[in-house]
Amino acid sequence: MAFAWKASGLTYNKYLSVAARVVRRSLKDDKRLAAERRGEMELRFAKWNNGKQGDNKSVADANAASMAEAGTQSS
């Protein structure tokens, strides 16, 4: 017997993400806002050179800059 999320083609992580979003949206406004803030993630990274850590950068910002740079190079 397969789980419903597996039968529908979802990964377990995607299933958990969808379930958490549904629960957050079902809460009353004050509790919902606090839960939505907890559900946000911001990934950061830093490049290391010669044993020294560089500046921390947001993955989303770095990805957007990379995509913009790739778009200008292909034109």
Side-chain angles (χ1 to χ4, degrees), residues 27-43:
L27 298 171
K28 292 184 180 179
D29 285 339
D30 57 337
K31 304 276 187 194
R32 181 181 52 82
L33 292 174
E36 284 179 352
R37 275 188 244 120
R38 280 194 311 268
E40 293 175 0
M41 286 189 300
E42 183 175 328
L43 297 176

Side-chain angles (χ1 to χ4, degrees), residues 59-73:
V59 171
D61 294 342
N63 190 32
S66 176
M67 294 299 280
E69 183 179 321
T72 58
Q73 290 179 355

Side-chain angles (χ1 to χ4, degrees), residues 11-52:
T11 65
Y12 186 66
N13 285 338
K14 184 66 175 173
Y15 163 74
L16 288 178
S17 173
V18 170
R21 191 174 344 130
V22 169
V23 170
R24 281 187 216 110
R25 287 182 179 173
S26 68
L27 298 171
K28 292 184 180 179
D29 285 339
D30 57 337
K31 304 276 187 194
R32 181 181 52 82
L33 292 174
E36 284 179 352
R37 275 188 244 120
R38 280 194 311 268
E40 293 175 0
M41 286 189 300
E42 183 175 328
L43 297 176
R44 302 184 72 73
F45 73 98
K47 289 187 179 181
W48 288 73
N49 290 321
N50 298 324
K52 304 275 185 188

